[in-house]
Amino acid sequence: AQRHTRTRMNRTIRAAPLLLILLIAGCGATPHNTITVKQAEQQAEDYFRQALAVLPAQARPEVGLIDTYECDDPTDNGPKGRKTASVDYKIHDLPQAEYPEYIAQIERWWRDHDFRVLDDERPKRESIWVENNKEGFRMRIKTNDIGELFLIVSSPCVWENGTPGSGQ
């Protein structure tokens, strides 16, 4: 029994350097292909339109910001040089008293479309922030201090042309 234990220990000791090498290699951020910036912009707009369709027909979106910017703090610890696409709309013509119900409807849509809640400030403030489990797109619906309603979508970090190092 003692010999068997020693043999197992020897195997474990011999395997430890290989395991360490694999762990170290796995920790490095290996650049990988992504969707392109144009695809990210389109997908952000598509997610916005799908969520907007959940609201009553009289909801009128006003573009606040449509932008692509440097992904300087990627959540995946990936390489610099990637971009994030974002759309930000103010939603008009909905009664402010009904915002909580509209936000709950959008939240149900998110849950039905594989989003998870990252932050929910209700009831203190009407604001929910979510992320799509598969694609990494994030969305937020929120109100501000003067009763305006906003719907925001941002993409994960992507390469300009979908290839590591493109667009630099």
Side-chain angles (χ1 to χ4, degrees):
Q2 189 176 16
R3 183 165 187 249
H4 180 68
T5 303
R6 240 186 269 170
T7 303
R8 261 197 352 227
M9 280 181 51
N10 287 342
R11 282 188 201 144
T12 303
I13 291 169
R14 283 193 308 257
L18 177 60
L19 182 60
L20 183 60
I21 289 168
L22 291 172
L23 284 172
I24 290 170
C27 290
T30 303
H32 61 280
N33 291 348
T34 65
I35 60 175
T36 66
V37 166
K38 292 289 180 208
Q39 290 168 324
E41 291 168 346
Q42 184 61 53
Q43 184 62 42
E45 186 67 27
D46 288 348
Y47 272 130
F48 167 76
R49 294 287 167 199
Q50 291 173 43
L52 182 66
V54 172
L55 297 174
Q58 77 264 21
R60 183 177 53 85
E62 174 190 350
V63 174
L65 178 68
I66 296 178
D67 197 14
T68 300
Y69 50 91
E70 293 296 318
C71 187
D72 58 1
D73 186 21
T75 57
D76 61 1
N77 297 315
K80 293 196 181 294
R82 296 175 296 159
K83 311 269 185 193
T84 297
S86 180
V87 297
D88 180 335
Y89 286 88
K90 185 189 308 184
I91 309 299
H92 295 281
D93 300 338
L94 294 178
Q96 187 175 347
E98 295 180 31
Y99 285 176
E101 178 53 34
Y102 300 143
I103 291 171
Q105 290 171 357
I106 297 260
E107 181 185 14
R108 283 190 291 280
W109 182 86
W110 282 333
R111 290 184 191 277
D112 289 346
H113 290 85
D114 203 22
F115 284 83
R116 73 179 181 284
V117 174
L118 299 173
D119 187 38
D120 187 344
E121 297 180 36
R122 297 173 299 173
K124 180 181 175 188
R125 188 172 166 211
E126 292 297 333
S127 176
I128 302 176
W129 185 35
V130 298
E131 180 175 72
N132 183 271
N133 290 316
K134 191 170 26 171
E135 297 175 326
F137 280 77
R138 292 183 172 187
M139 298 182 75
R140 179 182 293 271
I141 190 163
K142 68 177 189 169
T143 59
N144 65 13
D145 294 338
I146 58 173
E148 297 170 316
L149 183 65
F150 296 88
L151 187 54
I152 303 158
V153 184
S154 62
S155 76
C157 299
V158 299
W159 295 111
E160 182 76 31
N161 297 314
T163 307
S166 65
Q168 290 185 346

